[in-house]
Amino acid sequence: MNRKAVVRQAYVRPMQGWWRRDPFFVRYMVREATALAVLVYTVVLTVGVVRLAQGEAAWNGWLGALQSPWSMVMHVVLLVAFAVHAKSWFDIMPKTMPMMFIGRQRVAASTITRTGWAATVLASIVLLGLARWWQS
């Protein structure tokens, strides 16, 4: 008896561009990409700390590099990316936190988001005040 073996091809789902098919995943990928701006700025600040440790000439060279037109453009792009990153972070915050109740009433998602923004603004004002105080 001569039976031919049937060989079946495995189904391979195409993965290229999967995230572009759904607006939810597009927003997700943009949010994730903005984390790269955080990485870039972390590197910029780390280089600054290294230059500070290397002495006044290295520090002044780093400050001079930050004043170049390319650096200014980079900082504007990074600022926009940080704003998108922060907005998405605060929009997600109520979805990732455990349910919160005040009395017997659940705290609204918008209240959690607004509280996050208020805390950020307050912390920024305090840090700017401390920086001005330290500078004087």
Side-chain angles (χ1 to χ4, degrees):
M1 184 187 239
N2 189 4
R3 286 186 163 173
K4 261 190 160 175
V6 177
V7 179
R8 294 186 182 194
Q9 293 285 334
Y11 173 71
V12 178
R13 190 169 137 190
M15 294 301 292
Q16 189 166 359
W18 62 269
W19 58 275
R20 286 182 255 146
R21 295 183 202 129
D22 185 344
F24 173 81
F25 290 120
V26 171
R27 286 190 305 274
Y28 172 80
M29 294 302 281
V30 168
R31 179 174 61 241
E32 292 301 307
T34 59
L36 294 175
V38 176
L39 172 69
V40 168
Y41 204 68
T42 302
V43 170
V44 169
L45 291 180
T46 303
V47 169
V49 170
V50 169
R51 294 296 185 217
L52 181 62
Q54 291 174 341
E56 187 176 351
W59 171 253
N60 288 334
W62 182 76
L63 287 178
L66 288 181
Q67 295 172 356
S68 74
W70 289 108
S71 178
M72 296 294 183
V73 169
M74 178 189 72
H75 278 78
V76 169
V77 169
L78 290 176
L79 180 63
V80 170
F82 269 63
V84 170
H85 190 77
K87 181 189 180 317
S88 68
W89 182 261
F90 288 119
D91 287 346
I92 288 173
M93 194 166 42
K95 299 173 187 171
T96 59
M97 291 178 61
M99 285 189 231
M100 296 177 57
F101 293 90
I102 295 180
R104 292 183 175 255
Q105 192 170 13
R106 186 174 177 190
V107 177
S110 61
T111 303
I112 295 170
T113 300
R114 288 181 186 139
T115 303
W117 278 112
T120 300
V121 168
L122 180 64
S124 297
I125 291 170
V126 168
L127 284 173
L128 286 172
L130 285 171
R132 297 256 177 184
W133 174 76
W134 184 267
Q135 200 174 30
S136 61

